[in-house]
Amino acid sequence: MWLLNIIIAYCVLLPAARCFEMNMTQYYEMPQLYDFDDYDRCLQEYGAGTYCFVRAEVQPNSTAAAWRAIQEISKYDRHHFDHRQLYFGLCLHKCEAQLAELDSNARQKLQTGLLTDNAKVNVYLQLFDMEASNRARYNNLTNACLNWRLQQRQYEVQARSVVEYCDTAATAGKVSDEDDLWNVSFYVLVFVLILLACLSSLIDLHLKRRRHDKMLKERDHYKTPPRSLVTRLLLTCSIARNWYRLNQEPNGKIGRELRFLDCFKFFAMFLVIFAHTNWVIYEGAISNPQDPERLLHTAAGTLLISGSLITVTFFVISGLLLTINWLAVTRALADGKLETWSFGKYAALFVKFNVFRYIRLTVPYGFVVLLSGVYFENAGGPLWRHIYQREQLACRKNWWTNLLFINNYVGTDERCLLQGWYLASDTQSFALSLVVLMLGHRFSRWSKQIYGIVLGIFMVLPAVLTYVMDYYPVFLPTPQTQKDSFIGNTQFTEFYTSFQMNFGSYFCGVLAAIAYDQLSVRQYKLRELRSFQFMWFTLIPIGVFWLFTAHPIYQHYYAETPRLWGALYATVQRNLWGFGLGIFVVGMAAKVGWIIRKFACLPIFRILGRLTYGAFIVHLLMARLALATVREPIYFGTGTMFAYIFYVLCASYLGSLVLAIFLELPVSSCLKLMR
């Protein structure tokens, strides 16, 4: 009863806990974050016109109202952009015309200097090192031009600046005149995949027509595997057969009991797309930054911040599936015999598990990495290179960190496919969990102690690291952090994406699978236990409540969270979410949940769940394609936001469908033949 009272009180007080009111009069005294000239007109009207994307940083001037406003607004850095950082899209013909009437002394006064000491900007400059000649040529002109505009608008401040890149009519939308080895490799691979799919489909069609069994339906042919191993191999790329394979019902008791996980994966993926699409919008240009800033001061802002817990869902599911697979393999190999396995047998299994997983994940992942680095003609725009080409350059430079699954530790400022950090952390958790499971199998008498020690270590470790390294208690993707694409953000690199901070949640999935296995072996009817059903349904409101527990920390502006309490919350927030999710999954596997379970087991989620991995690795590519071509700052509103989210969701799953039919499912079929 006391828990219910706390939840009710929290829900009543939470909406009222809005202790910040933005002074909009003061807000409009600041320079706009974005000032873009007409991109297409600049390149089309002036023939040989040049358009430059320029980064600027406002310099202190305590006598200016604009600077005082910048200081006041930007000090709430958890919720607001850094309004010192300005972004200009300058048509140089227009700049020259504006400065033409000024004498040399007046132009000299507009020169504030180069922006050279901003580490985040320098990352972009290093990636766009081919723009060095344009910077040498246009830095002074663009600095004078943007300071003239600040002066004309009576802001009474000046800014240092640097050119990130420049476009001309001849180069806009193009990167190179000739296809290089990277592009050629991609075209060859696509041609080979299409050729294999066509040949395999034709062979499959020929075999279907040779059948003389009139009772056999057409779809039954594609669902029935051939007897010959060679024929199976030839049919792995058949389009029709892969479609039916994508839609086939789960086999066996375990597959049927866990089919609700497809629904979990889809809705978790939807929330990931929701968050990442908003991030790419932040990375672009927004005409009304004050609205998302004000939103973050509300309970809805706390919910958005706590949404990072959604990745815990994937970790728990991954740990669960690994353990179920491991238990199935050990039972099959033991075949009812009690024997002690040799070290060599464990080593062989460890290698086999990791190699098969590496091939299954890396082949489609590597294809998307290759695709992300392909140069192609595009519609261009002032932000195209800032949002999309930066990803192309990072993938061409650091692709190897993705394929080795170390990109959560190496090359973190120049990430290719930023969401790939999860695959790296998951891979590292997979390997360690497999070692722990092997130890538990080898020393079965002490397996509970082994699992308990491992869980205890990784439950406590996040608290220790948060305390020692003085991390913020929750992962905090501030507007400016997202705008800078998490470059130089230790909170993201060390606190959020590192393996050691996530393994506790992963291991909760491992323990959930062990609990589920024991319940199945003993045929324990968990759904008939009313106390468990009550606890299971109680987890739903508790989970919603848990998302808001960060509110007192996140919305506490005027004092730092005590270091000890912050460290405790850092470990409790994620790990208890993972632990509760593990209990929730075990309950649903035991057929607890009534209408919720029935909904989660609908056939539509069977396909969507299986396409989730492909959607995960392509969704940021789709978001960047949609948002990199904008010509001017967009209005950040609910309608605009959900329009982009809906597009990215649909495009990602359609892209995943193509990837699954032509690559992911053929690879999976080949791996099954190798077992």
Side-chain angles (χ1 to χ4, degrees):
M1 192 66 185
W2 63 270
L3 179 60
L4 182 63
N5 290 334
I6 292 175
I7 293 175
I8 293 173
Y10 208 95
C11 292
V12 170
L13 294 174
L14 193 61
R18 183 176 177 176
C19 45
F20 180 86
E21 290 293 335
M22 189 178 290
N23 184 338
M24 296 310 300
T25 301
Q26 185 183 49
Y27 194 94
Y28 287 111
E29 291 177 347
M30 300 185 296
Q32 294 180 348
L33 288 175
Y34 317 96
D35 184 359
F36 293 166
D37 292 336
D38 191 315
Y39 180 83
D40 297 296
R41 180 177 179 180
C42 178
L43 300 184
Q44 295 170 9
E45 181 179 0
Y46 303 118
T50 301
Y51 191 100
C52 292
F53 183 72
V54 183
R55 306 286 294 272
E57 185 176 287
V58 177
Q59 299 304 293
N61 181 3
S62 58
T63 62
W67 175 252
R68 293 194 296 272
I70 288 172
Q71 283 187 306
E72 179 63 25
I73 300 298
S74 298
K75 74 180 182 181
Y76 299 99
D77 56 348
R78 302 176 195 171
H79 308 77
H80 297 174
F81 292 98
D82 182 353
H83 286 265
R84 297 174 303 159
Q85 309 300 323
L86 306 181
Y87 306 81
F88 288 85
L90 300 177
C91 179
L92 298 192
H93 184 277
K94 187 175 180 180
C95 282
E96 290 169 347
Q98 291 170 339
L99 299 175
E101 298 180 0
L102 301 179
D103 58 33
S104 58
N105 289 333
R107 293 186 65 161
Q108 186 63 35
K109 290 180 180 179
L110 294 174
Q111 296 289 340
T112 310
L114 293 179
L115 181 58
T116 58
D117 56 354
N118 189 314
K120 297 176 182 179
V121 173
N122 288 341
V123 171
Y124 284 89
L125 301 187
Q126 291 168 10
L127 281 172
F128 292 107
D129 57 358
M130 75 290 291
E131 293 291 316
S133 59
N134 281 332
R135 293 189 193 113
R137 185 176 180 183
Y138 299 126
N139 267 333
N140 289 337
L141 173 61
T142 54
N143 186 242
C145 181
L146 65 88
N147 279 319
W148 181 84
R149 294 187 182 187
L150 293 174
Q151 184 184 85
Q152 291 298 304
R153 293 163 189 169
Q154 299 181 349
Y155 289 120
E156 299 179 359
V157 292
Q158 289 189 319
R160 292 187 299 156
S161 65
V162 65
V163 171
E164 189 170 308
Y165 52 79
C166 294
D167 285 343
T168 65
T171 62
K174 300 177 182 178
V175 179
S176 60
D177 295 329
E178 299 180 0
D179 289 321
D180 59 3
L181 181 60
W182 188 287
N183 278 31
V184 171
S185 300
F186 175 76
Y187 299 146
V188 169
L189 180 57
V190 170
F191 174 77
V192 169
L193 291 176
I194 294 174
L195 181 63
L196 288 174
C198 291
L199 291 175
S200 187
S201 299
L202 289 173
I203 295 172
D204 207 4
L205 182 62
H206 174 68
L207 292 175
K208 183 176 77 72
R209 290 183 174 179
R210 285 181 57 187
R211 284 183 178 271
H212 301 293
D213 189 351
K214 296 181 180 179
M215 299 298 293
L216 190 67
K217 296 181 180 179
E218 178 178 331
R219 63 184 179 184
D220 291 332
H221 164 77
Y222 295 113
K223 292 180 179 181
T224 306
R227 295 180 181 178
S228 168
L229 181 63
V230 175
T231 307
R232 288 186 183 183
L233 186 62
L234 290 173
L235 298 182
T236 53
C237 296
S238 170
I239 295 175
R241 195 170 289 269
N242 283 332
W243 166 253
Y244 282 107
R245 190 178 295 136
L246 180 67
N247 195 28
Q248 71 181 0
E249 295 184 5
N251 296 321
K253 176 178 176 290
I254 294 177
R256 291 191 298 272
E257 288 182 348
L258 296 180
R259 64 186 184 272
F260 65 88
L261 289 177
D262 289 327
C263 176
F264 278 34
K265 289 190 286 186
F266 170 72
F267 280 104
M269 189 66 238
F270 169 77
L271 294 175
V272 168
I273 289 175
F274 179 95
H276 287 179
T277 302
N278 278 282
W279 157 44
V280 179
I281 292 175
Y282 278 21
E283 195 177 0
I286 304 172
S287 64
N288 58 325
Q290 68 277 9
D291 289 335
E293 287 176 335
R294 287 189 294 185
L295 176 68
L296 290 175
H297 287 280
T298 65
T302 302
L303 187 62
L304 290 172
I305 293 298
S306 299
S308 60
L309 287 174
I310 201 63
T311 56
V312 173
T313 304
F314 286 114
F315 281 118
V316 171
I317 292 175
S318 184
L320 178 90
L321 296 178
L322 159 65
T323 309
I324 288 173
N325 193 19
W326 164 256
L327 294 172
V329 168
T330 53
R331 285 203 179 97
L333 291 176
D335 195 23
K337 300 177 182 178
L338 294 175
E339 60 176 331
T340 302
W341 289 4
S342 66
F343 173 80
K345 192 169 186 177
Y346 284 114
L349 278 175
F350 182 82
V351 171
K352 185 177 180 180
F353 266 72
N354 280 280
V355 168
F356 272 61
R357 180 184 183 276
Y358 181 84
I359 295 173
R360 181 172 55 84
L361 295 184
T362 307
V363 172
Y365 185 40
F367 180 84
V368 175
V369 170
L370 184 63
L371 172 62
S372 298
V374 170
Y375 293 151
F376 57 91
E377 291 192 12
N378 53 77
L383 290 168
W384 173 265
R385 299 175 69 182
H386 180 73
I387 293 177
Y388 196 90
Q389 191 187 351
R390 185 194 68 81
E391 183 92 346
Q392 291 175 316
L393 296 171
C395 284
R396 285 176 171 243
K397 183 177 181 180
N398 292 322
W399 58 270
W400 58 276
T401 64
N402 292 68
L403 301 189
L404 292 178
F405 294 103
I406 56 174
N407 50 308
N408 59 334
Y409 291 106
V410 180
T412 54
D413 282 344
E414 297 175 340
R415 295 177 187 266
C416 167
L417 298 180
L418 185 138
Q419 75 274 27
W421 73 263
Y422 165 78
L423 295 178
S425 187
D426 185 82
T427 298
Q428 294 147 15
S429 299
F430 179 94
L432 180 57
S433 293
L434 191 55
V435 171
V436 174
L437 287 170
M438 288 180 174
L439 289 173
H441 183 269
R442 177 63 179 80
F443 305 103
S444 56
R445 291 178 57 188
W446 299 285
S447 60
K448 293 180 181 178
Q449 289 84 347
I450 292 172
Y451 299 151
I453 290 171
V454 171
L455 181 66
I457 289 172
F458 284 95
M459 285 286 186
V460 173
L461 186 59
V464 174
L465 291 176
T466 301
Y467 185 85
V468 173
M469 305 303 293
D470 198 18
Y471 296 136
Y472 193 69
V474 295
F475 171 55
L476 193 62
T478 68
Q480 191 61 40
T481 297
Q482 295 183 69
K483 183 151 198 64
D484 292 329
S485 197
F486 300 96
I487 292 172
N489 187 264
T490 56
Q491 188 77 9
F492 179 74
T493 303
E494 300 174 10
F495 179 82
Y496 185 62
T497 67
S498 60
F499 140 79
Q500 65 270 16
M501 301 296 282
N502 290 293
F503 184 78
S505 301
Y506 191 99
F507 204 70
C508 285
V510 171
L511 297 181
I514 294 173
Y516 162 72
D517 178 73
Q518 290 299 310
L519 290 171
S520 298
V521 169
R522 299 176 185 180
Q523 297 184 343
Y524 192 82
K525 304 295 184 182
L526 200 60
R527 66 179 182 274
E528 296 178 1
L529 195 62
R530 290 192 175 184
S531 58
F532 182 83
Q533 286 201 28
F534 175 78
M535 181 187 71
W536 189 91
F537 280 104
T538 304
L539 286 174
I540 298 173
I542 289 177
V544 175
F545 167 77
W546 194 251
L547 293 173
F548 290 102
T549 55
H551 194 83
I553 298 174
Y554 178 57
Q555 306 295 2
H556 196 190
Y557 311 114
Y558 304 108
E560 290 295 324
T561 304
R563 200 164 174 175
L564 179 60
W565 288 112
L568 291 174
Y569 182 77
T571 195
V572 165
Q573 188 206 29
R574 269 198 256 188
N575 290 325
L576 278 191
W577 180 273
F579 188 78
L581 187 60
I583 296 174
F584 197 82
V585 167
V586 170
M588 286 199 80
K591 300 181 180 179
V592 176
W594 187 46
I595 196 170
I596 299 175
R597 192 179 193 281
K598 289 183 179 180
F599 174 79
C601 293
L602 289 175
I604 183 63
F605 296 119
R606 188 162 60 234
I607 297 177
L608 294 174
R610 291 169 182 170
L611 293 177
T612 294
Y613 175 65
F616 177 77
I617 58 179
V618 304
H619 75 279
L620 269 181
L621 190 66
M622 299 301 179
R624 291 183 185 279
L625 280 171
L627 290 157
T629 57
V630 297
R631 264 43 183 178
E632 57 187 19
I634 62 174
Y635 177 80
F636 186 91
T638 304
T640 303
M641 178 180 67
F642 276 100
Y644 278 115
I645 290 170
F646 182 73
Y647 158 76
V648 174
L649 181 71
C650 293
S652 298
Y653 273 89
L654 286 173
S656 178
L657 176 62
V658 174
L659 193 65
I661 295 296
F662 285 91
L663 190 59
E664 192 175 348
L665 288 171
V667 170
S668 177
S669 298
C670 290
L671 290 174
K672 286 181 180 179
L673 295 177
M674 294 168 59
R675 289 178 180 174

